[in-house]
Amino acid sequence: MEFLNIIFKGIPKEFVITLFTLPSRESKFVTFDDLANIRPWILKKVADNENVYFGVNPLHNRPSSGRGRAEDIGAMVSFSIDIDFKGEGHKTNKNYPPDWEVAKKVLINANCPLPSLVVFTVNGTHLYWLFESPSIVSNSSTSENESELFHKAIRNVLAQGGYEIDVTGDLARVLRVPGT
């Protein structure tokens, strides 16, 4: 799972990464060191027709219930955004960008930094602006505000280009593991 190794590089060893499946709604928590051994579990879930997601930010420790909330976040590793593309895969009247090239052009024209990683999904893309090193979260409200402000800035830039994206800037966001 090279992708997850890239995303979570440098997180403290005691922090945990959330893995979540649908439709079973199973949560699994692993440390960075456990990522090397998680591939068989993910492949089994995919073979069982499960969709596998990961929490975009690691948690201080395993939550007592659920898959983790903003106050459980131990570090921010990136700003991440989920952009849906216009098309048959989405039943909405929103004016999503038609594809990544159009969205990228809007960002470039507004002098926005381009993401470090672009992951294409069936009906859109996940964008990651990776930090050089994890930013330890001491106040989840402040970190949540930073994440939401970044997301709002990108939403506003795309809106100026005539496009909409969904609100997906929360700290405890889960996104699909690439290839699942």
Side-chain angles (χ1 to χ4, degrees):
M1 301 290 12
E2 183 179 346
F3 171 80
L4 295 175
N5 285 317
I6 291 168
I7 294 288
F8 295 111
K9 180 182 176 191
I11 67 168
K13 288 186 180 268
E14 68 274 11
F15 284 9
V16 296
I17 299 159
T18 303
L19 295 170
F20 179 73
T21 62
L22 286 175
S24 68
R25 306 188 64 78
E26 178 184 349
S27 294
K28 184 173 184 69
F29 303 93
V30 298
T31 65
F32 183 78
D33 289 341
D34 295 333
L35 284 178
N37 302 316
I38 201 65
R39 184 177 175 80
W41 181 86
I42 290 174
L43 293 175
K44 173 146 181 21
K45 292 299 175 184
V46 171
D48 292 342
N49 293 315
E50 293 279 343
N51 297 307
V52 182
Y53 301 84
F54 73 100
V56 297
N57 291 301
L59 310 176
H60 284 288
N61 46 46
R62 183 185 177 125
S64 57
S65 66
R67 62 180 191 228
R69 300 183 311 244
E71 56 267 20
D72 299 316
I73 299 298
M76 289 176 58
V77 295
S78 70
F79 290 124
S80 59
I81 294 181
D82 180 0
I83 296 182
D84 293 328
F85 296 147
K86 191 175 197 103
E88 295 178 20
H90 297 103
K91 307 290 187 233
T92 182
N93 291 327
K94 289 186 178 181
N95 190 30
Y96 292 139
D99 57 40
W100 166 236
E101 290 305 317
V102 169
K104 181 168 87 172
K105 186 179 283 189
V106 172
L107 294 175
I108 289 170
N109 288 342
N111 294 316
C112 287
L114 291 177
S116 315
L117 288 174
V118 178
V119 175
F120 292 94
T121 63
V122 174
N123 296 306
T125 188
H126 297 161
L127 308 176
Y128 301 89
W129 285 261
L130 298 176
F131 300 166
E132 283 190 32
S133 61
S135 174
I136 302 302
V137 173
S138 58
N139 181 324
S140 63
S141 297
T142 300
S143 297
E144 183 88 14
N145 288 342
E146 291 170 356
S147 181
E148 288 174 354
L149 284 172
F150 182 85
H151 194 271
K152 184 175 181 179
I154 298 297
R155 276 196 343 262
N156 287 341
V157 165
L158 288 169
Q160 290 172 4
Y163 302 107
E164 298 175 75
I165 63 171
D166 296 328
V167 177
T168 59
D170 53 297
L171 285 181
R173 173 68 44 183
V174 295
L175 294 175
R176 190 183 299 254
V177 174
T180 63

